[in-house]
């Protein structure tokens, strides 16, 4: 059954809200026609990742209206699955609250929680979002009331996080916090580069020249751990220990070459809605001949506890430990095995 196929507004439905997440990787689109309203979670290319019915605006049908669905119109919730079988007025003032990771969103109507589309919503697997007016589980929405215990802490954390992040001095204080930790484990800082341009998340790169017994330079990102990575909870039972990372690379050559690896990957989890962890590899996105550490390599391996590297542990943010992943260049052959 084709369900909630588009969020284009081309089907006669009107777009009443379109709001992007802070990282530019997902957009919440709310559509309505005279009969119903639906919310979609889309990527920039228009792919729908999650969708949830919000309301019927006329009496509910006894069964699913396949004609509407096959026409690409927002679906009508069957009578048994809505708290308002006679329909309800058009939606009021709508506002989104994005999860810290950017992969899920809550939708409020006049400050009242109306729906949640979590990052793991997947229409192809019959997992829509949660709606306040839904009853039980249907292909269009699951009852929000039955999931609130699990969702409330997420929404509370999201609200607190964005209030803090948009507050004056939040980034500067976080940056100082990380730099102080690195001073302690790596010694004094050298140069510092901005790796984020105008886009969130804000990330910098700090250079730590040889110090004490260490004869090589270490470069580290500063800022990746300021927000949790998306999708970790879909792969890890206890995501709290894996959701916050920084990346590091060691070099005896020109540090600016190695820094390009950190520029490449520092915003990747949020813009591509994925995560990076121990044992993951990343293939260089450009011609192999342009790989910063030499054309014999085609990507990097990430390791949480790389041999012969400084111990970077001891830093936490948001009540969660931060793991440093060390980048090691690997050849095409190594990437393919």
């Amino acid at each position: 059954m084709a369900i909630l196929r588009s969020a284009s507004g081309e089907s006669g439905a009107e777009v009443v809200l379109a709001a992007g997440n802070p990282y530019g990787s997902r957009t919440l689109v709310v559509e309505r026609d005279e009969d119903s309203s639906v919310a979609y979670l889309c990527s920039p290319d228009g792919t729908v990742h999650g969708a949830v019915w919000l309301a019927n605006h006329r009496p509910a049908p006894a069964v699913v209206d396949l004609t509407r669905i096959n026409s690409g119109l927002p679906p009508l919730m069957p009578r048994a699955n809505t708290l308002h079988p006679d329909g309800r007025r058009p939606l009021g003032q709508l506002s989104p609250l994005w999860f810290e990771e950017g992969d899920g969103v809550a939708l409020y109507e006049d400050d009242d929680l109306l729906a949640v589309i979590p990052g793991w919503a997947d229409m192809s697997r019959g997992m829509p979002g949660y709606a306040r007016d839904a009853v039980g589980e249907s292909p269009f929405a699951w009852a929000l009331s039955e999931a609130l215990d699990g969702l409330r802490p997420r929404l509370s954390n999201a609200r607190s996080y964005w209030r803090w992040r948009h507050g004056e001095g939040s980034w500067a204080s976080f940056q100082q916090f990380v730099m102080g930790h690195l001073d302690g484990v790596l010694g004094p800082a050298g140069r510092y580069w901005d790796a984020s341009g105008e886009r969130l998340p804000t990330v910098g790169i700090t250079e730590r020249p040889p110090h004490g017994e260490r004869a090589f330079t270490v470069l580290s990102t500063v800022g990746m751990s300021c927000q949790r990575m998306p999708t970790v909870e879909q792969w890890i039972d206890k995501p709290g220990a894996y959701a916050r990372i920084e990346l590091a690379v060691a070099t005896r050559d020109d540090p600016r070459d190695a820094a390009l690896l950190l520029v490449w990957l520092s915003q990747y989890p949020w813009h591509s809605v994925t995560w990076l962890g121990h044992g993951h590899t990343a293939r260089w996105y450009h011609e192999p001949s342009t790989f910063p550490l030499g054309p014999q390599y085609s990507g990097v391996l990430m390791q949480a506890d790389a041999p012969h590297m400084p111990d970077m542990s001891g830093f936490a943010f948001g009540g969660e430990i931060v793991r440093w992943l060390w980048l090691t260049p690997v050849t095409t052959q190594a990437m393919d095995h």
Side-chain angles (χ1 to χ4, degrees):
M1 178 163 55
I3 298 167
L4 309 179
R5 288 179 310 183
S6 82
S8 64
E10 294 168 3
S11 57
E14 172 194 6
V15 175
V16 293
L17 177 72
N21 74 7
Y23 312 116
S25 57
R26 290 287 184 265
T27 301
L28 174 67
V29 178
V30 179
E31 282 185 2
R32 62 152 296 190
D33 66 3
E34 292 179 353
D35 298 324
S36 68
S37 295
V38 176
Y40 304 88
L41 188 61
C42 311
S43 52
D45 66 4
T47 302
V48 175
H49 297 276
V52 63
W53 164 91
L54 301 172
N56 288 352
H57 305 306
R58 70 168 176 82
V63 295
V64 174
D65 185 341
L66 289 175
T67 307
R68 276 184 68 85
I69 291 169
N70 291 332
S71 302
L73 291 167
L76 277 164
M77 184 67 87
R79 178 167 287 271
N81 293 108
T82 171
L83 290 175
H84 300 283
D86 296 329
R88 54 150 293 181
R89 62 175 174 77
L91 300 174
Q93 183 71 36
L94 300 175
S95 58
L97 172 64
W98 290 98
F99 288 10
E100 178 180 338
E101 302 89 335
D103 60 348
V105 64
L107 179 64
Y108 289 81
E109 179 191 17
D110 302 324
D111 297 325
D112 189 34
L113 183 59
L114 178 66
V116 178
I117 308 179
W120 47 258
D122 184 343
M123 298 310 300
S124 65
R125 293 191 293 159
M127 296 161 66
Y130 301 96
R132 181 187 65 199
D133 293 350
V135 174
E137 294 183 1
S138 80
F140 308 135
W142 291 355
L144 179 60
S145 57
E146 295 173 17
L148 270 179
D149 285 351
L151 291 171
R152 266 200 196 100
R154 292 293 295 272
L155 302 183
S156 174
N157 289 346
R159 194 170 295 284
S160 300
Y161 176 77
W162 291 116
R163 187 182 298 126
W164 170 80
R165 189 66 184 83
H166 294 311
E168 195 174 336
S170 62
W171 166 248
S173 64
F174 175 85
Q175 183 185 39
Q176 196 173 3
F177 196 26
V178 183
M179 294 289 276
H181 171 73
L182 294 174
D183 289 346
V185 295
L186 295 174
R191 289 169 291 186
Y192 184 92
W193 298 278
D194 173 66
S196 47
E198 297 299 307
R199 298 177 70 186
L200 283 179
T202 305
V203 185
I205 296 168
T206 178
E207 172 192 44
R208 304 287 162 153
H211 178 71
E213 302 280 304
R214 177 168 50 81
F216 51 86
T217 296
V218 171
L219 300 161
S220 171
T221 57
V222 176
M224 292 181 73
S225 62
C226 191
Q227 50 282 302
R228 306 173 104 236
M229 290 183 293
T231 75
V232 178
E233 64 197 6
Q234 297 173 39
W235 302 93
I236 302 278
D237 285 340
K238 295 184 178 176
Y242 300 89
R244 297 188 190 275
I245 65 161
E246 298 286 353
L247 299 177
V249 62
T251 182
R252 296 176 189 272
D253 300 318
D254 188 337
R256 290 172 296 185
D257 293 334
L260 290 173
L261 298 179
L262 301 183
V263 174
W264 164 42
L265 291 173
S266 61
Q267 294 181 309
Y268 179 75
W270 297 274
H271 295 172
S272 298
V273 192
T274 188
W275 68 295
L276 302 175
H278 175 72
H280 290 195
T281 57
R283 191 178 292 274
W284 181 242
Y285 68 103
H286 210 40
E287 291 297 316
S289 60
T290 66
F291 191 81
L293 304 186
Q296 69 272 35
Y297 301 113
S298 65
V300 294
L301 169 68
M302 300 169 215
Q303 293 173 289
D305 299 300
H308 315 302
M309 291 299 156
D311 178 5
M312 310 280 267
S313 62
F315 182 73
F317 182 69
E320 297 172 325
I321 65 161
V322 174
R323 288 154 57 95
W324 262 262
L325 300 179
W326 290 88
L327 304 184
T328 306
V330 290
T331 61
T332 302
Q333 290 84 351
M335 293 280 293
D336 291 338
H337 286 301

